[in-house]
Amino acid sequence: MLNEVFLSGRQRDESRQDSAPRDAQALHDAETPRSWMPQAAPAAPAGDEVTVMRTAILAKLAYALGKTPATARDRDWFVATALALRDRAVAASANAAGIVPPKRVHYLSLEFLIGRLLSDAMGNLGVAETVRAALSGLGVDLDAVAGAEPDAALGNGGLGRLAACFMESMASLAIPAYGYGIRYDHGLFRQVIEDGVQREVPETWLSEGNPWEFERADAACEVGFGGDVAMSVQPDGTLRRVWRPAETVRAVPYDTPVIGRGAKHVNALRLWAARAVEPVDLARFNAGDHVGAVAERARAEAISRVLYPSDGTPAGQELRLRQEFFFTSASLQDLVRRHVAERGDLRSLPDHAAIQLNDTHPAIAVPELMRLLVDVHGLSWEDAWHVTTQTLGYTNHTLMPEALETWPVELMERLLPRHMQIIYLINWMHLEEVSKHGASLARLAEVSLIDESHGKRVRMGHLAFLGARRVNGVSALHTELMRQTVFAPLHALDTDKIVNKTNGITFRRWLHNANPGLTRLAVEAVGPKVLDDPRHLEGLAAFADDAGFQARYAAVRRERKEALARVVEERTGITLDPEALFDVQIKRIHEYKRQLLNILETVALYQAIKAEPHRDWTPRVKLFAGKAAPSYHQAKLIIRLASDVAKRVNADPDVAGRLTVAFVPNYSVSLAESIIPAADLSEQISTAGLEASGTGNMKLALNGALTIGTLDGANIEIKDHVGPENIFIFGLDAAGVQRTQSQPGYAGRAIAASPRLRAALDVIAAGGFSPSEPGRFRPLVDELTHGDRFLLTADFDDYWRAQREVDAAWRRPRTWWRAAILNTARTAWFSSDRTMREYAEEIWRVRVA
């Protein structure tokens, strides 16, 4: 894999890496653990290894950046080190040059939340201590250098982080793969909290370049939009449709090496940047229209400018569709071109390529692959459909109907006219087949690719389902609910298509790198084999009752809590007590994830402490972090409520030492790496049946946090693995949620039956946390009182009960640490290596060594 990606093409001008001053906040986080890939007894690297590494870093500093050690900033040392390691990644697989793998995986995702890469690269290359020693000899601190790397702004939350974990695991398992996505200039946004209000500012992660990537201008392709479709007579007399786009955008690939464990295999993350075919209209420029002359360039480059632009306007909707088609088309063109060059006949594509669609964003791959096969390469419709449906796989990540993308037919016909023709033909043949079995008009409407209930819209989830060989859910519950709800009509037509592949996380990032102290402890207890195979973590269960091991485990947690407290104080000014229970909810802010339920319990706890200040309360820190979509008013209001509650609680001397609340801004992978090893309690409290899986729950449990959660997503499987006595479960299950939602007025009855909940809602509604604007949070209270779609009121009392069980358990240290150790030991199954093996064997049909 590496030879075709990193030993070919034109390398970018590395001298461009050092230009603008760095963003202080983006470079902050010195407390995030970024050190070595742990070993049982790490020996000092050999002197010659250190000398070679130091020489390589100095050479990059001088010749790529034009700097001397005396003038170099931390950022310069980071770039020089990254370039030296990138060279190592290239050299590590140079012996694979010329080898074409039997089959490749092509993973299409709108997000890849890869975070910082330096620690991953050092760990998987096995040179972290060598780098530390090389830099130390120059008077440079590795942690400061690592802190100068910005988080790559290529994702939003779990979807993108899952894709990053999967890419790392595929490389570690030597599964030949390309990841395909968009090289966003500014990503989602950088979150600034001002007086409790979220403000979005551009993310500037590329302002000084990206030393990890290779620009591949020679592999660029063109992506069309709009225009019309003409008929062309072929030499054999057959007719072929020819799409004549009105607009063409150039897609330029940038490749980042994804290094596997031990650097035995390196894959590529290929991200596409949008560029205008003609960067400037010289005629308009010379006529004096200097702005209009670059209008087409601005329109083209907007495609790869920002992740998830607001779709609240028709222009925003169009841009989102342009983004999805842009990267999907470029990726398919790329892999088809490669296959033709290597294999010739595209009829063999399913034998040598697997294409995985990560959620519905790349569902347009179905008609685009058909267009490429039929219109461009001349395959018959029947052959093309066979190739498409045997090559594509589709992962669904949501059960919420509004999150399953649909596009107005009018927009599709205008922007992608040929694809709309293909979709109509797929749908006609599909409905004809269904009609043969006597389906009613109502059943035909359910399975149609076109939803005509509220204007004509293309159902992208249905399209991906029809075009895929396998459709998978990401937890056992989610997969079963897919069969019963959103895809029930389609599942009835093909009962073998939907399969389950429970998500996983890469332990190399989320344990080895994020929590080196705990990793050292695991290695000392069960041996270095735990670094190569997470299943050996199960050996820690034998130490769960060992008082000495518990003390060392607790000491590792205390160290990480002290480090996190320094980060939180620097970012928010709030002081945390490491002796307190650290209760964390870190995820995208959304009503179904129920941060508001957590805040309501916080308010109720605050009121209870105020009422009985002399009671022996369990000290607790409530920590929130996450971003709300810019146009999601209710989610932004939840952030403001959390901030206002924190302001009031933290200033009240009656609760000092008992309750502290903090909302930490600009949640990122690096911030997660600080929070997760320090967490005692993991909040996984979504409405049952709505969280497809979750991966934060896995990362936190792996690091020993006990979960408080509903029977939703992968929480169920975590409970099964760690044991019901080592997790705090509350609330309605998915069936209970459906029953309750069918009963009108359930919210009012729940509030009336719970004095504690009613008191919390009353103080919020009356402006108790917003005295300058008493009605500020009335929309949140009204939603709960009159609707409560996500059943916070129904689950509140049981959530309160479970939280008091947490309090009691925290006061029994031996019981708590036993449970924490068992969580670490028994979450080994949730490794993304296991997940990737299952995908490879059962969906992609790729052999894993």
Side-chain angles (χ1 to χ4, degrees):
M1 169 61 67
L2 181 141
N3 59 291
E4 63 190 346
V5 179
F6 302 114
L7 299 182
S8 64
R10 184 176 301 169
Q11 185 170 330
R12 66 181 295 176
D13 179 7
E14 294 172 349
S15 67
R16 291 161 51 196
Q17 300 295 329
D18 194 31
S19 54
R22 67 188 182 193
D23 183 309
Q25 182 170 353
L27 301 182
H28 171 67
D29 202 355
E31 299 299 339
T32 302
R34 307 176 188 91
S35 58
W36 52 287
M37 178 67 69
Q39 300 173 8
D48 55 343
E49 294 175 1
V50 173
T51 300
V52 169
M53 180 63 71
R54 183 180 297 131
T55 301
I57 293 172
L58 287 172
K60 294 298 182 183
L61 188 69
Y63 300 121
L65 282 79
K67 293 292 188 76
T68 67
T71 62
R73 307 164 299 154
D74 288 344
R75 166 74 193 192
D76 301 321
W77 287 112
F78 155 66
V79 172
T81 303
L83 291 173
L85 294 177
R86 191 181 70 170
D87 286 353
R88 293 250 178 154
V90 172
S93 294
N95 60 345
I99 298 175
V100 176
K103 193 169 188 177
R104 293 187 190 88
V105 174
H106 305 85
Y107 197 83
L108 275 62
S109 179
L110 200 59
E111 300 181 38
F112 285 95
L113 197 56
I114 56 177
R116 293 167 170 166
L117 294 179
L118 187 62
S119 62
D120 269 6
M122 291 189 301
N124 283 357
L125 287 167
V127 297
E129 282 304 300
T130 301
V131 172
R132 185 178 294 280
L135 290 172
S136 178
L138 296 167
V140 178
D141 178 60
L142 175 58
D143 288 340
V145 169
E149 179 179 9
D151 277 56
L154 298 170
N156 179 22
L159 181 79
R161 186 54 231 173
L162 181 77
C165 284
F166 281 5
M167 287 299 299
E168 196 275 348
S169 276
M170 281 190 275
S172 292
L173 295 173
I175 298 173
Y178 277 89
Y180 282 114
I182 295 179
R183 183 181 180 267
Y184 301 102
D185 295 332
H186 301 294
L188 187 66
F189 57 82
R190 183 159 58 86
Q191 181 191 55
V192 176
I193 303 296
E194 295 178 346
D195 194 26
V197 178
Q198 172 180 294
R199 187 166 66 86
E200 302 88 27
V201 298
E203 182 57 75
T204 57
W205 75 288
L206 284 175
S207 62
E208 296 190 68
N210 177 10
W212 298 110
E213 66 187 9
F214 294 85
E215 181 179 355
R216 300 296 191 204
D218 56 329
C221 60
E222 293 187 350
V223 177
F225 297 97
D228 57 26
V229 180
M231 300 292 291
S232 171
V233 180
Q234 302 304 300
D236 62 0
T238 60
L239 294 176
R240 179 179 297 181
R241 288 173 173 79
V242 179
W243 180 27
R244 301 182 299 191
E247 176 191 3
T248 302
V249 175
R250 192 163 178 259
V252 180
Y254 289 75
D255 293 336
T256 297
V258 180
I259 307 166
R261 170 74 170 149
K264 296 175 184 176
H265 189 87
V266 180
N267 283 327
L269 175 59
R270 174 159 284 189
L271 303 175
W272 300 97
R275 301 287 182 262
V277 175
E278 297 293 342
V280 61
D281 184 335
L282 282 177
R284 295 181 68 177
F285 191 89
N286 290 330
D289 186 4
H290 302 146
V291 174
V294 294
E296 286 304 308
R297 175 180 176 180
R299 176 174 168 80
E301 293 182 357
I303 293 174
S304 57
R305 191 75 72 195
V306 174
L307 171 64
Y308 296 140
S310 173
D311 59 358
T313 65
Q317 273 199 350
E318 179 175 325
L319 179 55
R320 284 208 182 190
L321 180 56
R322 283 165 64 85
Q323 285 184 326
E324 294 179 7
F325 179 69
F326 166 78
F327 99 90
T328 301
S329 175
S331 303
L332 293 179
Q333 290 184 57
D334 192 57
L335 69 91
V336 165
R337 171 197 55 78
R338 186 180 303 111
H339 179 85
V340 170
E342 293 173 352
R343 309 284 182 180
D345 188 357
L346 277 167
R347 292 171 183 82
S348 68
L349 187 65
D351 299 326
H352 304 292
I355 303 170
Q356 192 68 26
L357 310 180
N358 191 30
D359 216 4
T360 53
H361 305 123
I364 197 67
V366 178
E368 172 64 355
L369 185 54
M370 288 295 292
R371 183 188 72 84
L372 292 171
L373 296 174
V374 174
D375 295 358
V376 178
H377 292 277
L379 269 65
S380 69
W381 179 272
E382 292 74 16
D383 284 348
W385 187 242
H386 174 78
V387 168
T388 296
T389 56
Q390 290 301 303
T391 305
L392 294 179
Y394 164 47
T395 301
N396 173 270
H397 286 279
T398 183
L399 295 171
M400 301 176 69
E402 65 268 30
L404 282 171
E405 284 187 321
T406 63
W407 295 110
V409 166
E410 178 278 327
L411 175 60
M412 290 282 288
E413 288 177 333
R414 175 167 51 82
L415 202 63
L416 301 170
R418 177 57 180 143
H419 299 77
M420 198 62 237
Q421 290 180 346
I422 293 171
I423 290 169
Y424 276 136
L425 184 51
I426 293 172
N427 196 42
W428 177 77
M429 298 178 73
H430 163 58
L431 295 181
E432 282 288 299
E433 186 64 28
V434 175
S435 297
K436 292 178 182 178
H437 303 285
S440 65
L441 289 177
R443 173 49 60 94
L444 291 176
E446 287 181 327
V447 301
S448 174
L449 299 184
I450 311 299
D451 180 3
E452 300 188 44
S453 57
H454 300 286
K456 291 186 176 182
R457 301 182 70 91
V458 181
R459 293 166 163 157
M460 302 306 285
H462 280 44
L463 180 62
F465 189 102
L466 282 189
R469 190 181 74 87
R470 288 286 183 267
V471 176
N472 72 279
V474 290
S475 73
L477 174 65
H478 170 236
T479 300
E480 186 55 36
L481 289 175
M482 282 172 58
R483 298 182 179 121
Q484 297 175 10
T485 59
V486 292
F487 291 125
L490 292 170
H491 171 64
L493 302 176
D494 188 347
T495 57
D496 295 328
K497 181 171 281 195
I498 297 178
V499 297
N500 179 57
K501 294 290 167 278
T502 298
N503 282 342
I505 57 173
T506 170
F507 286 23
R508 289 167 289 275
R509 167 68 71 117
W510 294 107
L511 180 62
H512 303 172
N513 291 346
N515 202 340
L518 180 54
T519 305
R520 280 194 294 268
L521 192 58
V523 169
E524 291 167 8
V526 301
K529 58 190 177 183
V530 75
L531 299 176
D532 293 311
D533 188 344
R535 289 172 291 188
H536 291 295
L537 277 173
E538 295 169 3
L540 290 179
F543 298 89
D545 292 303
D546 185 306
F549 189 84
Q550 285 187 0
R552 296 167 68 196
Y553 191 100
V556 169
R557 175 71 56 76
R558 171 63 184 241
E559 177 185 321
R560 298 318 317 155
K561 290 171 78 170
E562 290 173 351
L564 176 60
R566 292 192 289 271
V567 172
V568 172
E569 185 163 19
E570 184 168 342
R571 293 194 177 192
T572 69
I574 298 171
T575 301
L576 308 184
D577 177 10
E579 290 290 334
L581 183 151
F582 278 21
D583 174 354
V584 308
Q585 189 171 16
I586 45 174
K587 52 185 75 237
R588 176 170 56 96
I589 309 298
H590 195 290
E591 288 172 279
Y592 91 85
K593 294 180 182 289
R594 303 204 297 190
Q595 285 91 353
L596 183 55
L597 176 61
N598 192 348
I599 298 169
L600 287 173
E601 193 273 338
T602 304
V603 171
L605 179 58
Y606 172 62
Q607 291 176 319
I609 296 172
K610 290 282 287 182
E612 299 181 82
H614 301 298
R615 183 175 162 185
D616 188 17
W617 295 95
T618 298
R620 186 184 289 247
V621 168
K622 288 271 197 174
L623 198 64
F624 298 87
K627 297 179 180 180
S631 59
Y632 194 169
H633 176 72
Q634 290 289 87
K636 297 175 93 167
L637 204 54
I638 290 169
I639 291 175
R640 191 161 195 190
L641 177 59
S643 300
D644 284 354
V645 169
K647 187 184 301 183
R648 170 80 176 273
V649 168
N650 298 340
D652 192 332
D654 290 343
V655 299
R658 299 176 175 90
L659 179 62
T660 305
V661 184
F663 188 96
V664 187
N666 203 39
Y667 184 54
S668 64
V669 175
S670 296
L671 182 55
E673 289 172 327
S674 283
I675 294 174
I676 287 171
D680 295 309
L681 187 68
S682 164
E683 297 271 356
Q684 308 298 329
I685 60 176
S686 54
T687 308
L690 294 184
E691 184 73 82
S693 168
T695 54
N697 48 5
M698 302 169 190
K699 296 162 194 165
L700 285 152
L702 171 65
N703 282 272
L706 305 192
T707 301
I708 182 168
T710 52
L711 289 172
D712 195 27
N715 290 353
I716 297 172
E717 287 150 291
I718 290 175
K719 176 182 73 71
D720 292 341
H721 280 82
V722 307
E725 70 280 8
N726 300 310
I727 189 171
F728 302 94
I729 296 297
F730 74 93
L732 299 168
D733 61 12
V737 166
Q738 292 180 347
R739 286 195 302 271
T740 304
Q741 288 177 329
S742 68
Q743 300 168 6
Y746 62 83
R749 291 191 297 274
I751 294 170
S754 175
R756 186 173 285 112
L757 172 58
R758 188 167 62 252
L761 290 173
D762 286 347
V763 72
I764 293 170
F769 298 98
S770 55
S772 63
E773 187 184 348
R776 177 182 297 164
F777 301 115
R778 173 60 65 179
L780 293 178
V781 175
D782 287 346
E783 164 59 26
L784 294 181
T785 304
H786 303 298
D788 192 19
R789 177 184 173 193
F790 300 108
L791 282 79
L792 280 71
T793 58
D795 278 350
F796 177 84
D797 278 349
D798 204 30
Y799 180 52
W800 174 271
R801 173 202 57 78
Q803 287 286 19
R804 304 295 71 81
E805 287 186 5
V806 170
D807 287 340
W810 181 252
R811 290 183 173 275
R812 302 190 299 272
R814 293 207 62 176
T815 301
W816 186 277
W817 294 116
R818 179 182 189 276
I821 292 166
L822 289 175
N823 266 261
T824 297
R826 293 174 178 174
T827 50
W829 186 80
F830 294 95
S831 165
S832 51
D833 291 357
R834 183 268 313 160
T835 310
M836 289 297 88
R837 285 192 182 95
E838 292 182 3
Y839 272 86
E841 294 168 4
E842 300 172 29
I843 294 180
W844 300 331
R845 296 177 289 190
V846 174
R847 182 174 299 175
V848 180

